[in-house]
Amino acid sequence: MARVRAQARAQGVQSEMRYRLRLAKLESAVFVSHLGTMRAFERAVRRARLPVAYTEGYHPHPKYSFATALGVGMTSEAEYVDIELIDRADSPVGSRAVLEAVGRELPPGLSVLAVAQVMEGSRTGLASGIRWASYRVEISLGMALAAAELLGQASFEIEIAGKGGKKTVDVRPMVRCAAPQGRALEFTIACGGRAHLRPGDFLSALGSIAGEKVRTDGFGVHRTGLFFEVESRLVAPEAHECTDLVIAAGL
Amino acid sequence: MTFPARYTGNELNAAVVDHDSARASILLAFPDVYEVGMSYIGFKILYSIVNSREGFIAERAFAPWPDMEEAMRTHGIPLYGLESLSEARRFDLIGFTLQYELSYSNVVNMLDLAGVPRLAAERRDGDPVIVAGGPCVANPEPVADFFDLFALGDGEELIVDIMETTARAKEDGVDRDQLVRRLAAIPGMYCPALGNAAVRRVVTDLDAAEYPEKFIVPFLDTVHDRVVLEVMRGCCRGCRFCQAGMIYRPVRERSLPVLCEQAERLVASTGYEEMGLLSLSTADYTGIQELARKLVQEYGPQGVAVSLPSLRVDSFSIALAREVEGARARRTGLTFAPEAGTQRMRDIINKGVTEEDLMSAAADAFRSGWEQIKLYFMIGLPYETDEDVIGIAELARKVLDLGRRIAGERGKAGRVRVNATVSSFVPKPHTPFQWHAQDSIEEILRKQQLLKEPTRVRGLSVSFHDVMQSHLEAAFARGDRSLGAVISKAVDLGCRFDGWVEHFRPDLWKQAFESQGLSPESFANRAYSFDEALPWDKVNMGVSKAFLRREAELAAQGITTEDCREGRCTGCGACFGDVRVRLQGEFGLAASPSDGEGAGTGAGTGGAV
Ligand code: SF4
């Protein structure tokens, strides 16, 4: 199998093509863990019978890359995954076919919002490239005022519980914006390996300013976007070094 | 709340049910957590058979973990079906799978949560009919108070009869009492209130038996989360302690073409990355090599791994495991089940494994690169002496030394590990050892102690099963109807999930027994004589009492009995009429397309190489 593949590659008939999928996780799947979501997705791809590229070796597994984990309890319209397909150079599978095939097979609670082809030569890895995440949550007026107050400060320190116990962290540089929209607050905070702020910690920071007790376990929080940072602008992963973008109908 | 996804349903391939148009409905209840219940193939088979028929619906319910139970009780949420979130009382039938005696407290607790009277005698019109199936119905008496009916044997055809009878009874407008009577008249149904004698149902031809076209794909990790192919049902090796080896006789194999078709359909409908070949002894399947090769060839490149959960102690099995599971198996280690430490003891239990078999299989394994071997043993077997117990340690050390020598040739002697898991023998109904008493708790502890010193060696480890759990398991396996009150009391005292060491409360069980003036010893540690009536005499699981008795007598003399599958019938009584040993090579002759079913197996996985 591996040899056949290598030959095909050498002859230029087949190549491995990276597709980027944007998924939504709905209310009915909020209890599904990140691991559970990944597995459900992999199984959907197998049911869809897409020509997935497998790692070589005795027990091949599909080549996937998932972006940042979503906490249990949150819904999302910005879950990203890159998959590699073995594509014929002359007749590629194409984003639309991927969108339809995976969309048909995803279990209840997950759906595909968009698919794009990552351009050959793109060096931005999905998981490693994410810098920011945006969320939406319903809040009180007091919390909205607290958000404005936090943004007005040059620094704002809070205690965050992590693996090695509690740490005092300046969260202000990790908050890019926070804008009330009706009864909801839409906010963009640091996400990824370099700097990461959990939405729950951000909300409890606001709670401490507003003097309100807030839910920090993720329920009610909706992720609206994940972003690369390109020349200090936010860019959605499907808009960066991608072509053939197809968006699901009804959006 | 731990793992909320246990309680939300809505998984891929879950059935969409409509109660309003249903002629009959059943809530399939599993008295353990979701992850355990969802791993049983019998449960999947019944679910699929019911839901694939117009007018019948089946939903699932599992035992809520204590945190969920508390939430349910605080908010007044009754037990419900995962498909439509309908409350349990709305169903015509609630069908429990009894896989394990230590789940009995969960059964009663689930009845409480369902709002159904615990005692069958107290149920009235409007209450669902409560039925049990699964291997534990081999002795229904300890839980007879709680069930209206017991369904014996293979479930594929029986479940259809149950649903149809229920639907007709509803259409005829008969009362609950009449419905129970009509159900009791179905062959294979035992009704404790009527005390009718009943014979288990058997599927004659596994190829004709219905098998699910799709499995529900859970969102959370279940114990066996994979495509499962039941390659055969039954085992005729005749190990005298093994209940599954008796009550699922005779051996019935599925043919290769049918299995390949099922594999294709299930991979396509689930997308699973693993496929397990299930049976009580998978290496005995006559087409195993061909089947395994085909599956590996077809699905390996698609990233689907094939696994062989229950193999034998021999070189053939090692070669097969090497071929099929390869590097993956070497990572997880191999499991052998010699069961006893001396040849004398293995002859008594009719475990057809010699020390040479074990050593040559182990040598093959070490040579093929395995470094970890797990050995399963039992202590407390009938006629066991201290030498037999110590023999376990000696055998384990021999395997370790062998591994060191072989791995030493490549400089890896230090990496070799041998783990011996030592469980306590539990005498089970419908086996040749059903008359035997279990060793007392003190005796088992003493025997465990005997093993500790001689196994204190680098690279060797021994683990024991909980003695109290085995003790209670024996009491419930061999007890009579008086145990119902004990179970009821234990549930009142707070007993739940007794099979989970972290929840098991032997102190509360002791209190429950005392409150009824009973003791577990009087059931677990009591020998029955050949002449007295046994509590489970009313249910006929296929194998005759005369055969069991002859086997018991042969055991006493250390004489073995051979496997009957190669043509020499040893007269166990399981075959009659169309029911006979069916091997896959003979297919094409036999297939009579009766309705299949197969709640049987499910006990098999996790077995041994
Ligand atoms: S009746 Fe004979 S052939 Fe049939 S299972 Fe028993 S021993 Fe084997």
Side-chain angles (χ1 to χ4, degrees), chain B residues 236 249-251 547 564-565 569-575 581:
Chain B
C236 296
R249 285 176 170 226
V251 163
F547 172 80
C564 64
R565 58 158 44 217
C569 172
T570 52
C572 80
C575 297
V581 174

mmCIF file with all atom_site columns, all heavy atoms in Angstrom, chain B residues 236 249-251 547 564-565 569-575 581, ligand 1:
data_model
loop_
_atom_site.group_PDB
_atom_site.id
_atom_site.type_symbol
_atom_site.label_atom_id
_atom_site.label_alt_id
_atom_site.label_comp_id
_atom_site.label_asym_id
_atom_site.label_entity_id
_atom_site.label_seq_id
_atom_site.pdbx_PDB_ins_code
_atom_site.Cartn_x
_atom_site.Cartn_y
_atom_site.Cartn_z
_atom_site.occupancy
_atom_site.B_iso_or_equiv
_atom_site.pdbx_formal_charge
_atom_site.auth_seq_id
_atom_site.auth_comp_id
_atom_site.auth_asym_id
_atom_site.auth_atom_id
_atom_site.pdbx_PDB_model_num
ATOM   1   N  N   . CYS B 1 236 ? -17.320 -25.846 23.326 1.00 0.00 ? 236 CYS B N   1
ATOM   2   C  CA  . CYS B 1 236 ? -17.490 -27.229 23.778 1.00 0.00 ? 236 CYS B CA  1
ATOM   3   C  C   . CYS B 1 236 ? -16.243 -27.785 24.425 1.00 0.00 ? 236 CYS B C   1
ATOM   4   O  O   . CYS B 1 236 ? -16.084 -28.986 24.540 1.00 0.00 ? 236 CYS B O   1
ATOM   5   C  CB  . CYS B 1 236 ? -17.898 -28.131 22.624 1.00 0.00 ? 236 CYS B CB  1
ATOM   6   S  SG  . CYS B 1 236 ? -19.498 -27.711 21.942 1.00 0.00 ? 236 CYS B SG  1
ATOM   7   N  N   . ARG B 1 249 ? -24.007 -23.895 24.907 1.00 0.00 ? 249 ARG B N   1
ATOM   8   C  CA  . ARG B 1 249 ? -23.772 -25.006 23.978 1.00 0.00 ? 249 ARG B CA  1
ATOM   9   C  C   . ARG B 1 249 ? -24.938 -25.186 23.025 1.00 0.00 ? 249 ARG B C   1
ATOM   10  O  O   . ARG B 1 249 ? -26.051 -24.835 23.377 1.00 0.00 ? 249 ARG B O   1
ATOM   11  C  CB  . ARG B 1 249 ? -23.577 -26.299 24.778 1.00 0.00 ? 249 ARG B CB  1
ATOM   12  C  CG  . ARG B 1 249 ? -22.235 -26.364 25.436 1.00 0.00 ? 249 ARG B CG  1
ATOM   13  C  CD  . ARG B 1 249 ? -22.144 -27.602 26.283 1.00 0.00 ? 249 ARG B CD  1
ATOM   14  N  NE  . ARG B 1 249 ? -20.771 -27.773 26.723 1.00 0.00 ? 249 ARG B NE  1
ATOM   15  C  CZ  . ARG B 1 249 ? -20.105 -28.923 26.681 1.00 0.00 ? 249 ARG B CZ  1
ATOM   16  N  NH1 . ARG B 1 249 ? -20.688 -30.013 26.226 1.00 0.00 ? 249 ARG B NH1 1
ATOM   17  N  NH2 . ARG B 1 249 ? -18.874 -28.999 27.097 1.00 0.00 ? 249 ARG B NH2 1
ATOM   18  N  N   . PRO B 1 250 ? -24.825 -25.804 21.897 1.00 0.00 ? 250 PRO B N   1
ATOM   19  C  CA  . PRO B 1 250 ? -23.560 -26.267 21.318 1.00 0.00 ? 250 PRO B CA  1
ATOM   20  C  C   . PRO B 1 250 ? -22.865 -25.157 20.526 1.00 0.00 ? 250 PRO B C   1
ATOM   21  O  O   . PRO B 1 250 ? -23.423 -24.073 20.386 1.00 0.00 ? 250 PRO B O   1
ATOM   22  C  CB  . PRO B 1 250 ? -24.038 -27.355 20.361 1.00 0.00 ? 250 PRO B CB  1
ATOM   23  C  CG  . PRO B 1 250 ? -25.389 -26.886 19.917 1.00 0.00 ? 250 PRO B CG  1
ATOM   24  C  CD  . PRO B 1 250 ? -25.982 -26.180 21.094 1.00 0.00 ? 250 PRO B CD  1
ATOM   25  N  N   . VAL B 1 251 ? -21.668 -25.463 20.024 1.00 0.00 ? 251 VAL B N   1
ATOM   26  C  CA  . VAL B 1 251 ? -20.939 -24.501 19.205 1.00 0.00 ? 251 VAL B CA  1
ATOM   27  C  C   . VAL B 1 251 ? -21.685 -24.257 17.904 1.00 0.00 ? 251 VAL B C   1
ATOM   28  O  O   . VAL B 1 251 ? -22.076 -25.201 17.217 1.00 0.00 ? 251 VAL B O   1
ATOM   29  C  CB  . VAL B 1 251 ? -19.528 -25.032 18.879 1.00 0.00 ? 251 VAL B CB  1
ATOM   30  C  CG1 . VAL B 1 251 ? -18.926 -24.263 17.713 1.00 0.00 ? 251 VAL B CG1 1
ATOM   31  C  CG2 . VAL B 1 251 ? -18.636 -24.939 20.091 1.00 0.00 ? 251 VAL B CG2 1
ATOM   32  N  N   . PHE B 1 547 ? -25.472 -35.231 32.824 1.00 0.00 ? 547 PHE B N   1
ATOM   33  C  CA  . PHE B 1 547 ? -24.149 -34.971 32.263 1.00 0.00 ? 547 PHE B CA  1
ATOM   34  C  C   . PHE B 1 547 ? -23.279 -34.212 33.265 1.00 0.00 ? 547 PHE B C   1
ATOM   35  O  O   . PHE B 1 547 ? -22.119 -34.548 33.489 1.00 0.00 ? 547 PHE B O   1
ATOM   36  C  CB  . PHE B 1 547 ? -24.285 -34.156 30.969 1.00 0.00 ? 547 PHE B CB  1
ATOM   37  C  CG  . PHE B 1 547 ? -22.978 -33.664 30.406 1.00 0.00 ? 547 PHE B CG  1
ATOM   38  C  CD1 . PHE B 1 547 ? -22.163 -34.516 29.665 1.00 0.00 ? 547 PHE B CD1 1
ATOM   39  C  CD2 . PHE B 1 547 ? -22.552 -32.356 30.609 1.00 0.00 ? 547 PHE B CD2 1
ATOM   40  C  CE1 . PHE B 1 547 ? -20.952 -34.056 29.141 1.00 0.00 ? 547 PHE B CE1 1
ATOM   41  C  CE2 . PHE B 1 547 ? -21.347 -31.897 30.101 1.00 0.00 ? 547 PHE B CE2 1
ATOM   42  C  CZ  . PHE B 1 547 ? -20.551 -32.755 29.361 1.00 0.00 ? 547 PHE B CZ  1
ATOM   43  N  N   . CYS B 1 564 ? -16.277 -31.898 22.063 1.00 0.00 ? 564 CYS B N   1
ATOM   44  C  CA  . CYS B 1 564 ? -17.182 -32.693 21.240 1.00 0.00 ? 564 CYS B CA  1
ATOM   45  C  C   . CYS B 1 564 ? -17.255 -32.220 19.801 1.00 0.00 ? 564 CYS B C   1
ATOM   46  O  O   . CYS B 1 564 ? -17.858 -32.857 18.950 1.00 0.00 ? 564 CYS B O   1
ATOM   47  C  CB  . CYS B 1 564 ? -18.582 -32.648 21.824 1.00 0.00 ? 564 CYS B CB  1
ATOM   48  S  SG  . CYS B 1 564 ? -19.281 -30.987 21.800 1.00 0.00 ? 564 CYS B SG  1
ATOM   49  N  N   . ARG B 1 565 ? -16.632 -31.075 19.500 1.00 0.00 ? 565 ARG B N   1
ATOM   50  C  CA  . ARG B 1 565 ? -16.888 -30.467 18.197 1.00 0.00 ? 565 ARG B CA  1
ATOM   51  C  C   . ARG B 1 565 ? -16.354 -31.282 17.030 1.00 0.00 ? 565 ARG B C   1
ATOM   52  O  O   . ARG B 1 565 ? -16.869 -31.194 15.925 1.00 0.00 ? 565 ARG B O   1
ATOM   53  C  CB  . ARG B 1 565 ? -16.313 -29.064 18.149 1.00 0.00 ? 565 ARG B CB  1
ATOM   54  C  CG  . ARG B 1 565 ? -14.824 -29.071 18.438 1.00 0.00 ? 565 ARG B CG  1
ATOM   55  C  CD  . ARG B 1 565 ? -14.130 -27.852 17.906 1.00 0.00 ? 565 ARG B CD  1
ATOM   56  N  NE  . ARG B 1 565 ? -14.861 -26.633 18.172 1.00 0.00 ? 565 ARG B NE  1
ATOM   57  C  CZ  . ARG B 1 565 ? -14.912 -25.625 17.319 1.00 0.00 ? 565 ARG B CZ  1
ATOM   58  N  NH1 . ARG B 1 565 ? -14.336 -25.723 16.158 1.00 0.00 ? 565 ARG B NH1 1
ATOM   59  N  NH2 . ARG B 1 565 ? -15.534 -24.527 17.640 1.00 0.00 ? 565 ARG B NH2 1
ATOM   60  N  N   . CYS B 1 569 ? -19.593 -36.898 20.205 1.00 0.00 ? 569 CYS B N   1
ATOM   61  C  CA  . CYS B 1 569 ? -20.534 -36.329 21.160 1.00 0.00 ? 569 CYS B CA  1
ATOM   62  C  C   . CYS B 1 569 ? -20.290 -36.941 22.536 1.00 0.00 ? 569 CYS B C   1
ATOM   63  O  O   . CYS B 1 569 ? -20.152 -38.139 22.678 1.00 0.00 ? 569 CYS B O   1
ATOM   64  C  CB  . CYS B 1 569 ? -21.966 -36.609 20.712 1.00 0.00 ? 569 CYS B CB  1
ATOM   65  S  SG  . CYS B 1 569 ? -23.194 -36.155 21.946 1.00 0.00 ? 569 CYS B SG  1
ATOM   66  N  N   . THR B 1 570 ? -20.212 -36.114 23.547 1.00 0.00 ? 570 THR B N   1
ATOM   67  C  CA  . THR B 1 570 ? -20.012 -36.628 24.892 1.00 0.00 ? 570 THR B CA  1
ATOM   68  C  C   . THR B 1 570 ? -21.310 -36.616 25.687 1.00 0.00 ? 570 THR B C   1
ATOM   69  O  O   . THR B 1 570 ? -21.308 -36.818 26.896 1.00 0.00 ? 570 THR B O   1
ATOM   70  C  CB  . THR B 1 570 ? -18.917 -35.820 25.627 1.00 0.00 ? 570 THR B CB  1
ATOM   71  O  OG1 . THR B 1 570 ? -19.235 -34.433 25.536 1.00 0.00 ? 570 THR B OG1 1
ATOM   72  C  CG2 . THR B 1 570 ? -17.567 -36.064 25.000 1.00 0.00 ? 570 THR B CG2 1
ATOM   73  N  N   . GLY B 1 571 ? -22.405 -36.322 24.984 1.00 0.00 ? 571 GLY B N   1
ATOM   74  C  CA  . GLY B 1 571 ? -23.721 -36.516 25.587 1.00 0.00 ? 571 GLY B CA  1
ATOM   75  C  C   . GLY B 1 571 ? -24.153 -35.483 26.592 1.00 0.00 ? 571 GLY B C   1
ATOM   76  O  O   . GLY B 1 571 ? -24.791 -35.815 27.589 1.00 0.00 ? 571 GLY B O   1
ATOM   77  N  N   . CYS B 1 572 ? -23.861 -34.208 26.320 1.00 0.00 ? 572 CYS B N   1
ATOM   78  C  CA  . CYS B 1 572 ? -24.234 -33.201 27.316 1.00 0.00 ? 572 CYS B CA  1
ATOM   79  C  C   . CYS B 1 572 ? -25.722 -32.886 27.278 1.00 0.00 ? 572 CYS B C   1
ATOM   80  O  O   . CYS B 1 572 ? -26.257 -32.318 28.222 1.00 0.00 ? 572 CYS B O   1
ATOM   81  C  CB  . CYS B 1 572 ? -23.417 -31.927 27.137 1.00 0.00 ? 572 CYS B CB  1
ATOM   82  S  SG  . CYS B 1 572 ? -23.990 -30.844 25.819 1.00 0.00 ? 572 CYS B SG  1
ATOM   83  N  N   . GLY B 1 573 ? -26.362 -33.212 26.153 1.00 0.00 ? 573 GLY B N   1
ATOM   84  C  CA  . GLY B 1 573 ? -27.802 -33.000 26.096 1.00 0.00 ? 573 GLY B CA  1
ATOM   85  C  C   . GLY B 1 573 ? -28.229 -31.689 25.448 1.00 0.00 ? 573 GLY B C   1
ATOM   86  O  O   . GLY B 1 573 ? -29.416 -31.433 25.292 1.00 0.00 ? 573 GLY B O   1
ATOM   87  N  N   . ALA B 1 574 ? -27.244 -30.873 25.054 1.00 0.00 ? 574 ALA B N   1
ATOM   88  C  CA  . ALA B 1 574 ? -27.607 -29.570 24.490 1.00 0.00 ? 574 ALA B CA  1
ATOM   89  C  C   . ALA B 1 574 ? -28.178 -29.699 23.078 1.00 0.00 ? 574 ALA B C   1
ATOM   90  O  O   . ALA B 1 574 ? -28.931 -28.840 22.629 1.00 0.00 ? 574 ALA B O   1
ATOM   91  C  CB  . ALA B 1 574 ? -26.396 -28.640 24.479 1.00 0.00 ? 574 ALA B CB  1
ATOM   92  N  N   . CYS B 1 575 ? -27.775 -30.751 22.362 1.00 0.00 ? 575 CYS B N   1
ATOM   93  C  CA  . CYS B 1 575 ? -28.248 -30.892 20.987 1.00 0.00 ? 575 CYS B CA  1
ATOM   94  C  C   . CYS B 1 575 ? -29.546 -31.683 20.961 1.00 0.00 ? 575 CYS B C   1
ATOM   95  O  O   . CYS B 1 575 ? -29.684 -32.710 21.615 1.00 0.00 ? 575 CYS B O   1
ATOM   96  C  CB  . CYS B 1 575 ? -27.204 -31.610 20.141 1.00 0.00 ? 575 CYS B CB  1
ATOM   97  S  SG  . CYS B 1 575 ? -25.670 -30.700 20.002 1.00 0.00 ? 575 CYS B SG  1
ATOM   98  N  N   . VAL B 1 581 ? -24.103 -28.974 16.739 1.00 0.00 ? 581 VAL B N   1
ATOM   99  C  CA  . VAL B 1 581 ? -22.859 -28.272 16.453 1.00 0.00 ? 581 VAL B CA  1
ATOM   100 C  C   . VAL B 1 581 ? -22.853 -27.907 14.978 1.00 0.00 ? 581 VAL B C   1
ATOM   101 O  O   . VAL B 1 581 ? -23.131 -28.756 14.130 1.00 0.00 ? 581 VAL B O   1
ATOM   102 C  CB  . VAL B 1 581 ? -21.641 -29.170 16.776 1.00 0.00 ? 581 VAL B CB  1
ATOM   103 C  CG1 . VAL B 1 581 ? -20.349 -28.503 16.336 1.00 0.00 ? 581 VAL B CG1 1
ATOM   104 C  CG2 . VAL B 1 581 ? -21.596 -29.503 18.263 1.00 0.00 ? 581 VAL B CG2 1
HETATM 105 S  S1  . SF4 C 2 .   ? -24.951 -32.791 22.858 1.00 0.00 ? 1   SF4 C S1  1
HETATM 106 FE FE1 . SF4 C 2 .   ? -23.004 -33.729 22.268 1.00 0.00 ? 1   SF4 C FE1 1
HETATM 107 S  S2  . SF4 C 2 .   ? -22.404 -32.659 20.374 1.00 0.00 ? 1   SF4 C S2  1
HETATM 108 FE FE2 . SF4 C 2 .   ? -24.026 -31.423 21.323 1.00 0.00 ? 1   SF4 C FE2 1
HETATM 109 S  S3  . SF4 C 2 .   ? -22.896 -29.914 22.537 1.00 0.00 ? 1   SF4 C S3  1
HETATM 110 FE FE3 . SF4 C 2 .   ? -23.360 -31.627 23.915 1.00 0.00 ? 1   SF4 C FE3 1
HETATM 111 S  S4  . SF4 C 2 .   ? -21.589 -32.951 23.818 1.00 0.00 ? 1   SF4 C S4  1
HETATM 112 FE FE4 . SF4 C 2 .   ? -21.440 -31.541 22.081 1.00 0.00 ? 1   SF4 C FE4 1
#
